[in-house]
């Protein structure tokens, strides 16, 4: 998927988005195989319109049957996601930078620039990997324009130390001409980032032969529904990439590398700063 490809470009082999492959003709496959043995929870999200036109809708606060996605002449562009085995227990937690989703009502972090220092750093994320997972996710979310990270999923380990998974990226690549700067709030307010993430961003920036968007374009060129993204989104990715670099550099100039760049866990200093 686009998000998976973007994230793997940013990481050093550690991808947190389930692998997704796109394909066409999905409803031919579903009508012949899946519907015959589909689980009850998926059945309730399926409906019929205009006779035998099969449609489905999601499970969320705003998902409604009236807004279902339907096949066109029996064909529909869809995706198959490599899901996780049942024995891997997943926990869902509220994101500290969740929006209110109420018109005219701002979350505390949207009104208070000291929110991270007064609330996040001191009350919830003084140890462990979680805050750094959240700032890593903010890098990806800003690039793809995903301002809908209201919760996060993670592998269930004691003390909320399990690996964070980026499983809900549906509201991505919307308006290519709008950069939602508030997505970067975990970075601009907390000024913490893994040193490995920062070095990877610098490596991508240093490659003058091909920009981040150009690299992503090559990856997506082999997708069955290529080109996947409109050319305006590639321009947006490179523009937003510069914004991320500037935000982290501002943090480093203000607080210093030793404070901003961390190891795997928030209490660990980046172990290669001195090199």
């Amino acid at each position: 998927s686009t998000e998976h490809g973007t994230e793997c470009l940013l990481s050093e082999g550690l991808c947190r988005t389930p692998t997704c492959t796109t394909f066409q003709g999905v409803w031919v496959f579903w009508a012949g195989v899946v519907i015959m043995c589909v689980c009850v929870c998926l059945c309730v999200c399926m409906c019929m319109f205009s006779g035998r036109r099969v449609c489905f809708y999601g499970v969320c606060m705003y998902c409604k049957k009236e807004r279902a996605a339907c096949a066109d002449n029996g064909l529909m562009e869809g995706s198959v996601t490599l899901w996780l085995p049942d024995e891997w227990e997943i926990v869902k937690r509220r994101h500290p930078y969740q929006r209110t989703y109420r018109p005219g009502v701002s979350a505390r972090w949207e009104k208070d620039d000291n929110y991270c220092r007064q609330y996040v750093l001191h009350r919830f994320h003084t140890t462990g990997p979680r805050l750094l997972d959240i700032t890593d996710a903010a890098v990806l979310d800003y690039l793809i324009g995903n301002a809908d990270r209201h919760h996060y999923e993670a592998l269930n380990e004691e003390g909320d130390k399990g690996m964070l998974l980026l499983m809900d990226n549906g509201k991505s690549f919307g308006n290519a001409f709008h950069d939602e700067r508030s997505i970067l709030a975990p970075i601009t307010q907390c000024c913490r980032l893994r040193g490995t993430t920062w070095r990877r961003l610098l490596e991508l920036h240093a490659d003058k032969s091909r920009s981040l968007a150009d690299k992503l374009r090559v990856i997506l060129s082999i997708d069955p529904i290529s080109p996947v993204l409109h050319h305006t989104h590639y321009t947006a990715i490179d523009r937003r990439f510069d914004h991320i670099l500037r935000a982290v550099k501002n943090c480093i100039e203000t607080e210093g590398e030793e404070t901003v760049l961390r190891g795997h866990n928030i209490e660990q200093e980046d172990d290669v700063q001195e090199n």
Side-chain angles (χ1 to χ4, degrees):
S1 68
T2 312
E3 296 83 7
H4 183 76
T6 307
E7 185 193 16
C8 288
L9 279 173
L10 295 174
S11 68
E12 294 181 329
L14 178 60
C15 299
R16 297 171 182 265
T17 304
T19 301
C20 175
T21 179
T22 53
F23 64 94
Q24 295 176 309
V26 61
W27 282 119
V28 174
F29 172 69
W30 273 45
V33 179
V34 178
I35 294 179
M36 302 294 293
C37 57
V38 70
C39 63
V40 175
C41 62
L42 185 57
C43 276
V44 299
C45 299
M46 300 178 65
C47 52
M48 302 286 289
F49 287 122
S50 303
R52 296 185 59 80
R53 192 181 183 200
V54 184
C55 306
F56 76 96
Y57 56 98
V59 178
C60 69
M61 183 182 300
Y62 305 103
C63 298
K64 298 180 180 179
K65 184 182 295 186
E66 293 75 17
R67 300 177 180 176
C70 301
D72 184 13
N73 295 324
L75 296 176
M76 187 177 187
E77 290 181 356
S79 65
V80 171
T81 301
L82 178 63
W83 208 240
L84 301 174
D86 292 338
E87 60 268 22
W88 290 19
E89 185 178 354
I90 306 297
V91 293
K92 187 173 185 177
R93 303 187 188 280
R94 188 178 300 275
H95 198 292
Y97 281 85
Q98 181 187 46
R99 301 170 194 275
T100 66
Y101 296 94
R102 288 181 288 173
V105 181
S106 299
R108 177 179 170 183
W109 63 267
E110 294 178 282
K111 301 180 292 185
D112 183 4
D113 286 339
N114 293 316
Y115 169 78
C116 183
R117 302 179 191 283
Q118 296 177 355
Y119 183 73
V120 180
L121 278 173
H122 295 294
R123 295 188 61 182
F124 287 96
H125 300 288
T126 55
T127 62
R130 190 59 67 235
L131 178 59
L132 299 174
D133 290 342
I134 289 172
T135 54
D136 275 358
V139 172
L140 173 66
D141 284 337
Y142 187 66
L143 287 171
I144 65 178
N146 179 23
D148 194 38
R149 190 71 66 189
H150 44 80
H151 288 78
Y152 64 82
E153 287 83 10
L155 297 179
N156 189 19
E157 292 185 17
E158 185 177 355
D160 194 21
K161 295 181 179 180
M163 186 176 74
L164 185 144
L165 304 171
L166 302 177
M167 297 167 61
D168 181 6
N169 308 302
K171 286 193 174 180
S172 304
F173 296 108
N175 187 350
F177 302 100
H178 174 68
D179 302 326
E180 185 53 59
R181 298 295 188 105
S182 63
I183 299 174
L184 289 177
I187 294 175
T188 58
Q189 290 187 3
C190 300
C191 277
R192 300 293 187 275
L193 191 71
R194 285 192 173 93
T196 51
T197 302
W198 179 235
R199 286 189 291 278
R200 180 56 178 160
L201 295 176
L202 293 179
E203 288 173 4
L204 291 168
H205 179 66
D207 184 0
K208 303 303 181 183
S209 63
R210 188 176 289 173
S211 70
L212 175 62
D214 290 336
K215 291 181 173 67
L216 181 60
R217 196 192 303 265
V218 171
I219 292 176
L220 295 181
S221 66
I222 62 175
D223 194 287
I225 61 169
S226 178
V228 183
L229 291 178
H230 191 267
H231 68 87
T232 55
H233 286 298
Y234 291 110
T235 301
I237 286 174
D238 282 338
R239 183 179 66 244
R240 293 166 185 166
F241 184 57
D242 288 340
H243 297 167
I244 294 168
L245 293 174
R246 193 175 307 128
V248 179
K249 287 178 180 178
N250 287 341
C251 282
I252 292 175
E253 290 173 1
T254 303
E255 302 198 15
E257 283 194 5
E258 291 186 358
T259 299
V260 176
L261 304 182
R262 315 304 297 174
H264 177 69
N265 297 320
I266 192 65
E267 66 271 22
Q268 299 171 335
E269 293 186 4
D270 184 20
D271 58 2
V272 295
Q273 285 180 10
E274 297 179 358
N275 295 339

